Amino acid sequence: MKPAVEQVWQWLGEVPDPEIPVISLTDLGVIRDVAYEGDTLVVTVTPTYSGCPATAVINLDIENKLRDNGVTDLRLSRQLSPPWSSDWINPAAREALKDYGIAPPIDGTAADGVLAGRIARLGGAGNLVVACPRCGSNHTEKISQFGSTPCKAAYQCRDCLEPFDYFKCI
Amino acid sequence: MPSLPDVMTPDAAQLAQAAGGEGRAPLETGSPEHDLFTGLTRLGDTTLILGHRVSEWCGLAPVLEEDIALANMALDLIGQTQLWLGLAGEVEGRGRDADALAFRRDGWEFHNLLLVERPNGDFGRTLMRQFLFDAYHLPLLKALEGSTNPRIAEIAAKAGKEVAYHVERSADLVIRLGDGTDESHARMQSSLDALWGYTGEAFIGDAVDARLGEAGVMPAPESLRSDWDRTVNAVLAEATLERPASDFAHKGGKQGRHSEHLGHLLTSMQWLQRSYPDATW
């Protein structure tokens, strides 16, 4: 059985992210390519973070989904370059993240490691404003650069007091 | 695979190498492949040992958020280790993967910087060690993105995005603790003084570095110093900490000569794989 590439993309769009089940693997942007090499279906996957423990689960979920749909000749290929970017999370998924209680990434705010601007921000200038996904208030503060997973930072809303995760821009 | 010999066996180093060799000869010292393998283990061993050190905080940090942050940073470093040591194993071509390199080499085969094997000390000392390393790690990765070896360039691009967050966090905390209370200030200054002698090694090249630099595979260590100086000076000034005057540098880690601390770390890190080789669950 050799299903069409479009069909495979649709199936992959039904596989939930193992850590954030309200978005799918295609929403997350980790599927880089689906193609046939001869009779072998090759799915190319990029990891979000190099140490992300969900990577192995994602690969297993892809394999299970496709095998359940009758694909027998399958290979998963890892692609590091270009490195995954949170810019690849699609707009609908950003809304789903917010409804789920996770503030979506604010594009263009990835850490650049340039500390001059950083040091200025410590004095209060130009801090990133992350809206509370629960009440929408901009009156929030960063608790830690790293939240429940490496891809998120921990924030708290100063109005409704809700602690929440912010999906960092990378 | 046979278990490794006792370290007292006279030719233990050779036996240990042969154990993973699949019958193939070790790389010839001075060959481009051996240089590349050495350079990759310097990168991968450094992220591995620091990742393990940072993970020692798991469950013990002063507050929950910092505990989680440290564990997540350790995770990034271990993820990067899998990429660097995985590639090192491929280059060596003797059937050793990242796990075999991490868990079945002895201390003298590790090429990490001495800085990262320093014990954690208190929370402030761990953060100071992290900052001194991150301030070097980010420019290193930026330079490696331009490597003539595309595999190295793509790993560096991936890791660089993660490490940009590391240096922001460690710099933040060094400033907050340095420019904090009298107690936190004193602890951060004493951490800086204690670690300073271990920072210089990162910028001292040997023959392997020179050949890798010449080939455009990895940057000459000396070339990374000015970026590091700039970051460290800016952050220490903001943290009201005094940069130590001495330029004395402990060396040897990159060549496999380590402090006693590495051995203690390895006994803990490698115990399971040494006792139950190839264990799975």
Side-chain angles (χ1 to χ4, degrees):
Chain A
M1 177 180 153
K2 205 171 157 183
V5 164
E6 296 73 28
Q7 174 66 64
V8 175
W9 275 104
Q10 193 188 322
W11 286 330
L12 295 174
E14 295 164 6
V15 180
D17 174 81
E19 281 177 350
I20 312 168
V22 293
I23 65 174
S24 74
L25 297 184
T26 52
D27 287 337
L28 189 62
V30 294
I31 310 290
R32 301 312 300 158
D33 194 30
V34 176
Y36 280 96
E37 280 178 17
D39 286 333
T40 306
L41 177 65
V42 181
V43 177
T44 305
V45 188
T46 195
T48 51
Y49 279 67
S50 51
C52 180
T55 305
V57 182
I58 285 174
N59 288 343
L60 187 65
D61 289 348
I62 292 171
E63 193 169 342
N64 285 341
K65 179 75 178 179
L66 297 180
R67 294 213 185 281
D68 286 350
N69 281 287
V71 177
T72 48
D73 196 350
L74 170 68
R75 183 164 63 81
L76 296 187
S77 158
R78 183 184 72 185
Q79 181 185 322
L80 285 183
S81 179
W84 181 79
S85 166
S86 49
D87 296 354
W88 299 347
I89 301 176
N90 71 33
R94 288 164 190 251
E95 284 305 308
L97 279 176
K98 210 190 287 180
D99 291 343
Y100 192 60
I102 297 172
I106 300 170
D107 286 351
T109 60
D112 54 11
V114 178
L115 291 168
R118 189 78 199 154
I119 290 166
R121 285 200 291 280
L122 282 173
N127 264 321
L128 189 61
V129 177
V130 177
C132 172
R134 183 175 177 273
C135 73
S137 164
N138 283 335
H139 188 204
T140 61
E141 71 174 352
K142 185 169 77 185
I143 306 296
S144 172
Q145 187 72 266
F146 293 84
S148 57
T149 65
C151 57
K152 303 191 214 87
Y155 274 73
Q156 184 171 22
C157 179
R158 304 309 298 157
D159 283 331
C160 76
L161 303 182
E162 180 83 351
F164 65 91
D165 270 340
Y166 164 60
F167 206 118
K168 279 183 288 194
C169 205
I170 187 174
Chain B
M1 173 178 158
S3 58
L4 290 175
D6 186 275
V7 290
M8 297 308 287
T9 311
D11 55 353
Q14 200 194 355
L15 283 171
Q17 278 221 323
E22 291 189 342
R24 268 187 274 178
L27 299 173
E28 192 185 328
T29 305
S31 67
E33 294 76 22
H34 189 270
D35 284 347
L36 183 55
F37 177 78
T38 304
L40 289 166
T41 54
R42 286 174 178 174
L43 294 169
D45 290 345
T46 295
T47 51
L48 172 64
I49 300 304
L50 184 60
H52 186 82
R53 272 284 184 243
V54 175
S55 79
E56 290 172 357
W57 274 102
C58 193
L60 303 170
V63 291
L64 181 61
E65 287 80 2
E66 292 305 329
D67 199 290
I68 293 169
L70 286 165
N72 274 321
M73 232 165 37
L75 195 58
D76 280 347
L77 291 166
I78 299 299
Q80 293 161 18
T81 302
Q82 284 175 328
L83 297 173
W84 291 129
L85 292 186
L87 183 53
E90 280 182 49
V91 167
E92 187 191 38
R94 302 178 72 229
R96 294 201 284 185
D97 61 8
D99 281 347
L101 290 170
F103 295 125
R104 297 189 192 171
R105 283 179 302 155
D106 273 307
W108 61 80
E109 297 171 277
F110 274 77
H111 296 135
N112 58 280
L113 298 174
L114 295 174
L115 174 68
V116 299
E117 70 196 49
R118 302 307 298 161
N120 285 340
D122 61 19
F123 180 68
R125 184 161 302 194
T126 293
L127 262 304
M128 180 59 81
R129 183 186 62 201
Q130 190 70 40
F131 169 66
L132 294 171
F133 175 71
D134 291 342
Y136 152 78
H137 198 195
L138 187 61
L140 169 67
L141 291 170
K142 292 286 171 209
L144 287 170
E145 274 188 53
S147 171
T148 51
N149 181 317
R151 298 286 301 280
I152 291 178
E154 68 177 14
I155 296 172
K158 179 92 202 139
K161 290 180 133 197
E162 296 161 3
V163 169
Y165 278 104
H166 295 190
V167 68
E168 289 200 353
R169 172 174 183 275
S170 61
D172 273 6
L173 286 166
V174 163
I175 292 169
R176 282 165 64 180
L177 292 170
D179 188 19
T181 64
D182 288 346
E183 174 71 16
S184 74
H185 175 85
R187 286 191 187 216
M188 293 311 273
Q189 185 66 53
S190 97
S191 298
L192 178 61
D193 296 343
L195 294 169
W196 190 253
Y198 297 92
T199 56
E201 184 188 14
F203 310 105
I204 300 170
D206 63 5
V208 174
D209 289 316
R211 288 192 294 267
L212 289 171
E214 192 113 321
V217 175
M218 293 184 188
E222 297 81 0
S223 69
L224 302 168
R225 175 116 214 175
S226 60
D227 262 356
W228 184 82
D229 274 335
R230 200 173 315 122
T231 305
V232 166
N233 289 343
V235 169
L236 292 184
E238 200 66 28
T240 69
L241 296 171
E242 194 178 331
R243 179 180 164 127
S246 169
D247 275 339
F248 172 76
H250 293 281
K251 313 187 272 291
K254 288 165 64 175
Q255 290 79 25
R257 296 189 305 278
H258 294 276
S259 66
E260 69 189 88
H261 302 294
L262 182 69
H264 289 277
L265 182 152
L266 293 181
T267 56
S268 160
M269 186 180 83
Q270 297 183 331
W271 174 82
L272 187 82
Q273 283 293 330
R274 296 286 194 161
S275 303
Y276 303 96
D278 301 319
T280 55
W281 63 83

